[in-house]
Amino acid sequence: MRAKKSFTRIIIITMMSFLIFACRNEQENKANRTSSDTVDTAKTISSASKTLTLPFIAVVDSNTTRIELQANPQKSKVPLNKEELAEALNIKYPEIKLELGKTSHDTLLVNIPSATFLTQQMGTTGALTYLAEATYAFTDLANIKVVNFVFKEGDHAVPGPYTRKSFNTKNI
């Protein structure tokens, strides 16, 4: 009988040890994977941010609440094309997925299929900042004068054609 109790204890201790080590190893592996994934993602975003920067940044004047667009000091020395500008906007504003449409004459069609963050969650100033930065970025291209945004209208943003004159901004 005593041998049976000892054998049972050994099995219980062995199983407990196995469970403790198994959980510990999985947690360490998961932590290592998470930190490795985070570093890889950070490198990707960081390297993309260095090369894919918007040509203008919007700054809100706290006294007048007017949007001022300034040349981005981190702007790429090599001009970006419309696809790269779209990607730069999507990196800077990951909650707003911008998709390029066709270009007709001097107008670029831009779709935002899910615009809830833009129209309901950023506030009016945030939405105007986004639309201004996007408009100024695309109209920095030689053949684009108008950016026609297509999205479901909300409390803080209205779809339609925008030019640089659409924003109450200080001149650059």
Side-chain angles (χ1 to χ4, degrees), residues 46-119:
S46 176
S47 65
S49 297
K50 288 179 187 172
T51 57
L52 297 178
T53 55
L54 296 173
F56 299 95
I57 52 175
V59 178
V60 179
D61 185 323
S62 58
N63 294 328
T64 64
T65 66
R66 287 176 48 175
I67 296 172
E68 180 181 341
L69 279 118
Q70 302 171 348
N72 187 347
Q74 298 174 346
K75 173 182 166 178
S76 175
K77 301 213 184 299
V78 177
L80 302 178
N81 62 36
K82 65 182 177 182
E83 291 79 15
E84 292 167 331
L85 290 170
E87 189 175 345
L89 281 159
N90 287 335
I91 289 169
K92 184 172 182 181
Y93 299 97
E95 303 88 353
I96 304 169
K97 178 71 174 125
L98 176 139
E99 297 174 357
L100 293 175
K102 63 181 181 176
T103 302
S104 178
H105 302 287
D106 66 348
T107 303
L108 173 65
L109 186 68
V110 174
N111 296 301
I112 303 174
S114 179
T116 304
F117 188 80
L118 173 67
T119 62

